[in-house]
mmCIF file of all heavy atoms in Angstrom:
data_model
loop_
_atom_site.group_PDB
_atom_site.id
_atom_site.type_symbol
_atom_site.label_atom_id
_atom_site.label_comp_id
_atom_site.label_asym_id
_atom_site.label_seq_id
_atom_site.Cartn_x
_atom_site.Cartn_y
_atom_site.Cartn_z
ATOM 1 N N VAL E 1 0.856 -1.179 0.000
ATOM 2 C CA VAL E 1 0.000 0.000 0.000
ATOM 3 C C VAL E 1 0.891 1.227 0.000
ATOM 4 O O VAL E 1 1.887 1.296 0.731
ATOM 5 C CB VAL E 1 -0.955 0.003 1.221
ATOM 6 C CG1 VAL E 1 -0.196 -0.132 2.532
ATOM 7 C CG2 VAL E 1 -1.794 1.268 1.235
ATOM 8 N N THR E 2 0.578 2.183 -0.877
ATOM 9 C CA THR E 2 1.302 3.454 -0.963
ATOM 10 C C THR E 2 0.338 4.571 -0.602
ATOM 11 O O THR E 2 -0.787 4.620 -1.108
ATOM 12 C CB THR E 2 1.853 3.684 -2.378
ATOM 13 O OG1 THR E 2 2.731 2.616 -2.726
ATOM 14 C CG2 THR E 2 2.611 5.003 -2.460
ATOM 15 N N PHE E 3 0.786 5.471 0.280
ATOM 16 C CA PHE E 3 -0.109 6.535 0.731
ATOM 17 C C PHE E 3 0.716 7.758 1.107
ATOM 18 O O PHE E 3 1.892 7.654 1.458
ATOM 19 C CB PHE E 3 -0.915 6.076 1.946
ATOM 20 C CG PHE E 3 -1.956 7.074 2.392
ATOM 21 C CD1 PHE E 3 -3.005 7.435 1.559
ATOM 22 C CD2 PHE E 3 -1.879 7.662 3.649
ATOM 23 C CE1 PHE E 3 -3.962 8.354 1.965
ATOM 24 C CE2 PHE E 3 -2.829 8.584 4.070
ATOM 25 C CZ PHE E 3 -3.881 8.930 3.228
ATOM 26 N N GLY E 4 0.082 8.926 1.005
ATOM 27 C CA GLY E 4 0.749 10.157 1.385
ATOM 28 C C GLY E 4 -0.221 11.316 1.392
ATOM 29 O O GLY E 4 -1.443 11.150 1.316
ATOM 30 N N GLY E 5 0.326 12.520 1.478
ATOM 31 C CA GLY E 5 -0.482 13.721 1.461
ATOM 32 C C GLY E 5 0.401 14.949 1.441
ATOM 33 O O GLY E 5 1.586 14.882 1.780
ATOM 34 N N PHE E 6 -0.169 16.088 1.011
ATOM 35 C CA PHE E 6 0.566 17.343 1.040
ATOM 36 C C PHE E 6 -0.375 18.461 1.494
ATOM 37 O O PHE E 6 -1.604 18.308 1.476
ATOM 38 C CB PHE E 6 1.194 17.673 -0.324
ATOM 39 C CG PHE E 6 0.192 17.985 -1.408
ATOM 40 C CD1 PHE E 6 -0.226 19.285 -1.648
ATOM 41 C CD2 PHE E 6 -0.334 16.965 -2.201
ATOM 42 C CE1 PHE E 6 -1.148 19.565 -2.650
ATOM 43 C CE2 PHE E 6 -1.251 17.243 -3.208
ATOM 44 C CZ PHE E 6 -1.669 18.542 -3.432
ATOM 45 N N THR E 7 0.220 19.571 1.923
ATOM 46 C CA THR E 7 -0.563 20.697 2.415
ATOM 47 C C THR E 7 -0.130 21.981 1.727
ATOM 48 O O THR E 7 0.922 22.038 1.093
ATOM 49 C CB THR E 7 -0.373 20.875 3.936
ATOM 50 O OG1 THR E 7 1.012 21.139 4.208
ATOM 51 C CG2 THR E 7 -0.794 19.615 4.693
ATOM 52 N N PHE E 8 -0.966 23.004 1.867
ATOM 53 C CA PHE E 8 -0.622 24.326 1.349
ATOM 54 C C PHE E 8 -1.280 25.360 2.265
ATOM 55 O O PHE E 8 -2.177 25.046 3.044
ATOM 56 C CB PHE E 8 -1.093 24.499 -0.098
ATOM 57 C CG PHE E 8 -2.574 24.265 -0.279
ATOM 58 C CD1 PHE E 8 -3.488 25.297 -0.167
ATOM 59 C CD2 PHE E 8 -3.057 22.984 -0.541
ATOM 60 C CE1 PHE E 8 -4.853 25.069 -0.323
ATOM 61 C CE2 PHE E 8 -4.422 22.751 -0.699
ATOM 62 C CZ PHE E 8 -5.315 23.796 -0.590
ATOM 63 N N GLY E 9 -0.812 26.591 2.169
ATOM 64 C CA GLY E 9 -1.401 27.645 2.984
ATOM 65 C C GLY E 9 -0.348 28.391 3.778
ATOM 66 O O GLY E 9 0.843 28.081 3.742
ATOM 67 N N ALA E 10 -0.811 29.395 4.535
ATOM 68 C CA ALA E 10 0.094 30.278 5.256
ATOM 69 C C ALA E 10 0.660 29.689 6.537
ATOM 70 O O ALA E 10 1.830 29.934 6.853
ATOM 71 C CB ALA E 10 -0.634 31.589 5.566
ATOM 72 N N PRO E 11 -0.101 28.949 7.348
ATOM 73 C CA PRO E 11 0.482 28.502 8.625
ATOM 74 C C PRO E 11 1.688 27.599 8.409
ATOM 75 O O PRO E 11 1.815 26.923 7.389
ATOM 76 C CB PRO E 11 -0.672 27.720 9.273
ATOM 77 C CG PRO E 11 -1.906 28.162 8.570
ATOM 78 C CD PRO E 11 -1.479 28.496 7.181
ATOM 79 N N ALA E 12 2.566 27.610 9.404
ATOM 80 C CA ALA E 12 3.707 26.688 9.359
ATOM 81 C C ALA E 12 3.210 25.254 9.514
ATOM 82 O O ALA E 12 2.143 25.000 10.082
ATOM 83 C CB ALA E 12 4.685 27.019 10.472
ATOM 84 N N GLY E 13 3.994 24.324 8.998
ATOM 85 C CA GLY E 13 3.644 22.919 9.141
ATOM 86 C C GLY E 13 3.896 22.428 10.559
ATOM 87 O O GLY E 13 4.608 23.066 11.338
ATOM 88 N N PRO E 14 3.337 21.270 10.920
ATOM 89 C CA PRO E 14 3.484 20.762 12.274
ATOM 90 C C PRO E 14 4.886 20.247 12.564
ATOM 91 O O PRO E 14 5.615 19.824 11.665
ATOM 92 C CB PRO E 14 2.459 19.618 12.326
ATOM 93 C CG PRO E 14 2.365 19.152 10.903
ATOM 94 C CD PRO E 14 2.522 20.380 10.073
ATOM 95 N N THR E 15 5.253 20.272 13.829
ATOM 96 C CA THR E 15 6.503 19.691 14.303
ATOM 97 C C THR E 15 6.196 18.787 15.495
ATOM 98 O O THR E 15 5.085 18.787 16.021
ATOM 99 C CB THR E 15 7.499 20.776 14.745
ATOM 100 O OG1 THR E 15 6.903 21.550 15.803
ATOM 101 C CG2 THR E 15 7.849 21.695 13.583
ATOM 102 N N GLY E 16 7.197 18.001 15.885
ATOM 103 C CA GLY E 16 7.013 17.144 17.053
ATOM 104 C C GLY E 16 6.654 15.728 16.685
ATOM 105 O O GLY E 16 7.219 15.134 15.762
ATOM 106 N N ASN E 17 5.648 15.182 17.388
ATOM 107 C CA ASN E 17 5.239 13.789 17.209
ATOM 108 C C ASN E 17 3.766 13.720 16.831
ATOM 109 O O ASN E 17 2.966 14.574 17.242
ATOM 110 C CB ASN E 17 5.440 12.998 18.512
ATOM 111 C CG ASN E 17 6.832 13.153 19.089
ATOM 112 O OD1 ASN E 17 7.806 13.317 18.341
ATOM 113 N ND2 ASN E 17 6.936 13.116 20.405
ATOM 114 N N GLY E 18 3.394 12.700 16.063
ATOM 115 C CA GLY E 18 1.984 12.541 15.716
ATOM 116 C C GLY E 18 1.741 11.358 14.801
ATOM 117 O O GLY E 18 2.650 10.610 14.452
ATOM 118 N N THR E 19 0.473 11.202 14.401
ATOM 119 C CA THR E 19 0.043 10.105 13.536
ATOM 120 C C THR E 19 -0.115 10.599 12.107
ATOM 121 O O THR E 19 -0.919 11.502 11.844
ATOM 122 C CB THR E 19 -1.288 9.506 14.031
ATOM 123 O OG1 THR E 19 -1.138 9.045 15.371
ATOM 124 C CG2 THR E 19 -1.729 8.347 13.142
ATOM 125 N N LEU E 20 0.661 10.026 11.186
ATOM 126 C CA LEU E 20 0.552 10.391 9.775
ATOM 127 C C LEU E 20 -0.637 9.705 9.113
ATOM 128 O O LEU E 20 -1.331 10.319 8.289
ATOM 129 C CB LEU E 20 1.834 10.004 9.033
ATOM 130 C CG LEU E 20 3.118 10.739 9.444
ATOM 131 C CD1 LEU E 20 4.302 10.187 8.668
ATOM 132 C CD2 LEU E 20 2.979 12.241 9.223
ATOM 133 N N ALA E 21 -0.858 8.441 9.421
ATOM 134 C CA ALA E 21 -1.917 7.678 8.759
ATOM 135 C C ALA E 21 -2.285 6.470 9.611
ATOM 136 O O ALA E 21 -1.536 6.067 10.507
ATOM 137 C CB ALA E 21 -1.465 7.215 7.376
ATOM 138 N N THR E 22 -3.447 5.920 9.318
ATOM 139 C CA THR E 22 -3.926 4.705 9.973
ATOM 140 C C THR E 22 -4.337 3.707 8.903
ATOM 141 O O THR E 22 -5.027 4.075 7.937
ATOM 142 C CB THR E 22 -5.117 5.009 10.898
ATOM 143 O OG1 THR E 22 -4.690 5.909 11.923
ATOM 144 C CG2 THR E 22 -5.650 3.742 11.538
ATOM 145 N N ILE E 23 -3.902 2.459 9.061
ATOM 146 C CA ILE E 23 -4.194 1.404 8.080
ATOM 147 C C ILE E 23 -4.873 0.247 8.787
ATOM 148 O O ILE E 23 -4.421 -0.201 9.851
ATOM 149 C CB ILE E 23 -2.906 0.897 7.400
ATOM 150 C CG1 ILE E 23 -2.107 2.070 6.823
ATOM 151 C CG2 ILE E 23 -3.236 -0.112 6.311
ATOM 152 C CD1 ILE E 23 -0.741 1.661 6.290
ATOM 153 N N GLN E 24 -5.958 -0.248 8.192
ATOM 154 C CA GLN E 24 -6.628 -1.442 8.701
ATOM 155 C C GLN E 24 -6.281 -2.632 7.798
ATOM 156 O O GLN E 24 -6.509 -2.586 6.581
ATOM 157 C CB GLN E 24 -8.135 -1.245 8.753
ATOM 158 C CG GLN E 24 -8.594 -0.357 9.895
ATOM 159 C CD GLN E 24 -10.084 -0.476 10.134
ATOM 160 O OE1 GLN E 24 -10.882 -0.385 9.198
ATOM 161 N NE2 GLN E 24 -10.471 -0.685 11.388
ATOM 162 N N PHE E 25 -5.734 -3.667 8.403
ATOM 163 C CA PHE E 25 -5.401 -4.900 7.694
ATOM 164 C C PHE E 25 -6.424 -5.980 8.044
ATOM 165 O O PHE E 25 -6.898 -6.044 9.181
ATOM 166 C CB PHE E 25 -4.005 -5.389 8.082
ATOM 167 C CG PHE E 25 -2.882 -4.546 7.551
ATOM 168 C CD1 PHE E 25 -2.422 -3.458 8.268
ATOM 169 C CD2 PHE E 25 -2.295 -4.849 6.336
ATOM 170 C CE1 PHE E 25 -1.384 -2.675 7.787
ATOM 171 C CE2 PHE E 25 -1.252 -4.070 5.837
ATOM 172 C CZ PHE E 25 -0.800 -2.988 6.561
ATOM 173 N N THR E 26 -6.726 -6.824 7.057
ATOM 174 C CA THR E 26 -7.596 -7.977 7.267
ATOM 175 C C THR E 26 -6.739 -9.230 7.309
ATOM 176 O O THR E 26 -5.868 -9.425 6.454
ATOM 177 C CB THR E 26 -8.639 -8.093 6.139
ATOM 178 O OG1 THR E 26 -9.415 -6.884 6.092
ATOM 179 C CG2 THR E 26 -9.564 -9.274 6.374
ATOM 180 N N VAL E 27 -6.990 -10.098 8.297
ATOM 181 C CA VAL E 27 -6.195 -11.314 8.459
ATOM 182 C C VAL E 27 -6.636 -12.357 7.423
ATOM 183 O O VAL E 27 -7.815 -12.674 7.305
ATOM 184 C CB VAL E 27 -6.357 -11.888 9.882
ATOM 185 C CG1 VAL E 27 -5.560 -13.187 10.021
ATOM 186 C CG2 VAL E 27 -5.897 -10.874 10.914
ATOM 187 N N VAL E 28 -5.655 -12.856 6.669
ATOM 188 C CA VAL E 28 -5.898 -13.918 5.686
ATOM 189 C C VAL E 28 -5.560 -15.278 6.285
ATOM 190 O O VAL E 28 -6.266 -16.259 6.098
ATOM 191 C CB VAL E 28 -5.086 -13.661 4.399
ATOM 192 C CG1 VAL E 28 -5.291 -14.793 3.388
ATOM 193 C CG2 VAL E 28 -5.466 -12.313 3.788
ATOM 194 N N SER E 29 -4.450 -15.351 7.008
ATOM 195 C CA SER E 29 -4.060 -16.577 7.709
ATOM 196 C C SER E 29 -3.285 -16.198 8.964
ATOM 197 O O SER E 29 -2.551 -15.209 8.966
ATOM 198 C CB SER E 29 -3.217 -17.493 6.813
ATOM 199 O OG SER E 29 -1.988 -16.868 6.485
ATOM 200 N N GLN E 30 -3.443 -16.989 10.003
ATOM 201 C CA GLN E 30 -2.761 -16.700 11.265
ATOM 202 C C GLN E 30 -1.371 -17.321 11.243
ATOM 203 O O GLN E 30 -1.166 -18.457 11.658
ATOM 204 C CB GLN E 30 -3.579 -17.223 12.442
ATOM 205 C CG GLN E 30 -4.866 -16.442 12.675
ATOM 206 C CD GLN E 30 -5.645 -16.968 13.856
ATOM 207 O OE1 GLN E 30 -5.851 -18.174 13.989
ATOM 208 N NE2 GLN E 30 -6.091 -16.088 14.732
ATOM 209 N N ALA E 31 -0.431 -16.541 10.731
ATOM 210 C CA ALA E 31 0.955 -17.004 10.618
ATOM 211 C C ALA E 31 1.881 -15.832 10.888
ATOM 212 O O ALA E 31 1.547 -14.676 10.607
ATOM 213 C CB ALA E 31 1.218 -17.582 9.226
ATOM 214 N N ASP E 32 3.062 -16.120 11.432
ATOM 215 C CA ASP E 32 4.036 -15.070 11.712
ATOM 216 C C ASP E 32 4.421 -14.340 10.426
ATOM 217 O O ASP E 32 4.521 -14.951 9.350
ATOM 218 C CB ASP E 32 5.294 -15.659 12.347
ATOM 219 C CG ASP E 32 5.056 -16.162 13.771
ATOM 220 O OD1 ASP E 32 3.935 -15.977 14.289
ATOM 221 O OD2 ASP E 32 5.997 -16.729 14.346
ATOM 222 N N GLY E 33 4.634 -13.052 10.528
ATOM 223 C CA GLY E 33 5.011 -12.270 9.354
ATOM 224 C C GLY E 33 5.541 -10.912 9.752
ATOM 225 O O GLY E 33 5.932 -10.679 10.891
ATOM 226 N N ASN E 34 5.540 -9.980 8.787
ATOM 227 C CA ASN E 34 6.135 -8.675 8.999
ATOM 228 C C ASN E 34 5.453 -7.641 8.118
ATOM 229 O O ASN E 34 5.055 -7.940 6.986
ATOM 230 C CB ASN E 34 7.639 -8.739 8.686
ATOM 231 C CG ASN E 34 8.321 -7.388 8.825
ATOM 232 O OD1 ASN E 34 8.514 -6.684 7.847
ATOM 233 N ND2 ASN E 34 8.676 -7.023 10.037
ATOM 234 N N LEU E 35 5.304 -6.432 8.646
ATOM 235 C CA LEU E 35 4.891 -5.275 7.855
ATOM 236 C C LEU E 35 6.119 -4.395 7.677
ATOM 237 O O LEU E 35 6.707 -3.938 8.661
ATOM 238 C CB LEU E 35 3.780 -4.498 8.557
ATOM 239 C CG LEU E 35 2.505 -5.271 8.895
ATOM 240 C CD1 LEU E 35 1.524 -4.376 9.639
ATOM 241 C CD2 LEU E 35 1.858 -5.842 7.642
ATOM 242 N N ASP E 36 6.520 -4.157 6.435
ATOM 243 C CA ASP E 36 7.773 -3.467 6.128
ATOM 244 C C ASP E 36 7.479 -2.043 5.655
ATOM 245 O O ASP E 36 6.882 -1.851 4.594
ATOM 246 C CB ASP E 36 8.529 -4.248 5.053
ATOM 247 C CG ASP E 36 9.754 -3.504 4.567
ATOM 248 O OD1 ASP E 36 10.483 -2.972 5.417
ATOM 249 O OD2 ASP E 36 9.969 -3.447 3.335
ATOM 250 N N LEU E 37 7.903 -1.059 6.442
ATOM 251 C CA LEU E 37 7.753 0.347 6.080
ATOM 252 C C LEU E 37 8.955 0.784 5.248
ATOM 253 O O LEU E 37 10.100 0.640 5.689
ATOM 254 C CB LEU E 37 7.647 1.192 7.347
ATOM 255 C CG LEU E 37 7.500 2.703 7.171
ATOM 256 C CD1 LEU E 37 6.191 3.048 6.480
ATOM 257 C CD2 LEU E 37 7.596 3.405 8.526
ATOM 258 N N SER E 38 8.704 1.326 4.053
ATOM 259 C CA SER E 38 9.812 1.690 3.159
ATOM 260 C C SER E 38 9.442 2.912 2.327
ATOM 261 O O SER E 38 8.298 3.391 2.352
ATOM 262 C CB SER E 38 10.161 0.511 2.234
ATOM 263 O OG SER E 38 9.078 0.220 1.373
ATOM 264 N N SER E 39 10.430 3.411 1.580
ATOM 265 C CA SER E 39 10.257 4.541 0.644
ATOM 266 C C SER E 39 9.592 5.742 1.319
ATOM 267 O O SER E 39 8.703 6.383 0.746
ATOM 268 C CB SER E 39 9.443 4.103 -0.580
ATOM 269 O OG SER E 39 10.063 3.027 -1.237
ATOM 270 N N VAL E 40 10.035 6.050 2.538
ATOM 271 C CA VAL E 40 9.458 7.174 3.286
ATOM 272 C C VAL E 40 10.088 8.480 2.809
ATOM 273 O O VAL E 40 11.308 8.621 2.783
ATOM 274 C CB VAL E 40 9.693 7.000 4.801
ATOM 275 C CG1 VAL E 40 9.114 8.194 5.560
ATOM 276 C CG2 VAL E 40 9.070 5.709 5.297
ATOM 277 N N THR E 41 9.249 9.432 2.408
ATOM 278 C CA THR E 41 9.719 10.762 2.026
ATOM 279 C C THR E 41 8.932 11.811 2.805
ATOM 280 O O THR E 41 7.716 11.694 2.977
ATOM 281 C CB THR E 41 9.568 11.014 0.518
ATOM 282 O OG1 THR E 41 8.190 10.861 0.137
ATOM 283 C CG2 THR E 41 10.411 10.043 -0.290
ATOM 284 N N LEU E 42 9.649 12.840 3.254
ATOM 285 C CA LEU E 42 9.049 13.967 3.967
ATOM 286 C C LEU E 42 9.529 15.258 3.335
ATOM 287 O O LEU E 42 10.684 15.360 2.919
ATOM 288 C CB LEU E 42 9.463 13.963 5.445
ATOM 289 C CG LEU E 42 9.230 12.681 6.257
ATOM 290 C CD1 LEU E 42 9.834 12.840 7.646
ATOM 291 C CD2 LEU E 42 7.749 12.350 6.350
ATOM 292 N N THR E 43 8.651 16.256 3.239
ATOM 293 C CA THR E 43 9.046 17.569 2.737
ATOM 294 C C THR E 43 8.697 18.634 3.776
ATOM 295 O O THR E 43 7.768 18.478 4.571
ATOM 296 C CB THR E 43 8.340 17.910 1.414
ATOM 297 O OG1 THR E 43 6.913 17.864 1.602
ATOM 298 C CG2 THR E 43 8.734 16.923 0.324
ATOM 299 N N ASN E 44 9.460 19.735 3.762
ATOM 300 C CA ASN E 44 9.219 20.810 4.728
ATOM 301 C C ASN E 44 8.459 21.957 4.092
ATOM 302 O O ASN E 44 8.424 22.107 2.868
ATOM 303 C CB ASN E 44 10.532 21.286 5.358
ATOM 304 C CG ASN E 44 11.421 22.014 4.364
ATOM 305 O OD1 ASN E 44 11.108 23.098 3.905
ATOM 306 N ND2 ASN E 44 12.560 21.402 4.029
#
């Protein structure tokens, strides 16, 4: 899954800590695995 967003306007962008996105996964089989976060880009 690829997801992102951008903003525009006069106020400064946020700093600190927070939630960028929320993803709901559906279980297909109950087996050990991994969710791999990659290709992260941020702009100021």
Side-chain angles (χ1 to χ4, degrees):
V1 55
T2 301
F3 185 62
F6 67 91
T7 61
F8 56 90
T15 59
N17 309 328
T19 302
L20 295 177
T22 298
I23 307 173
Q24 285 195 311
F25 289 88
T26 302
V27 178
V28 178
S29 64
Q30 290 181 312
D32 290 356
N34 177 263
L35 302 178
D36 173 44
L37 179 65
S38 64
S39 302
V40 179
T41 58
L42 307 174
T43 58
N44 69 68

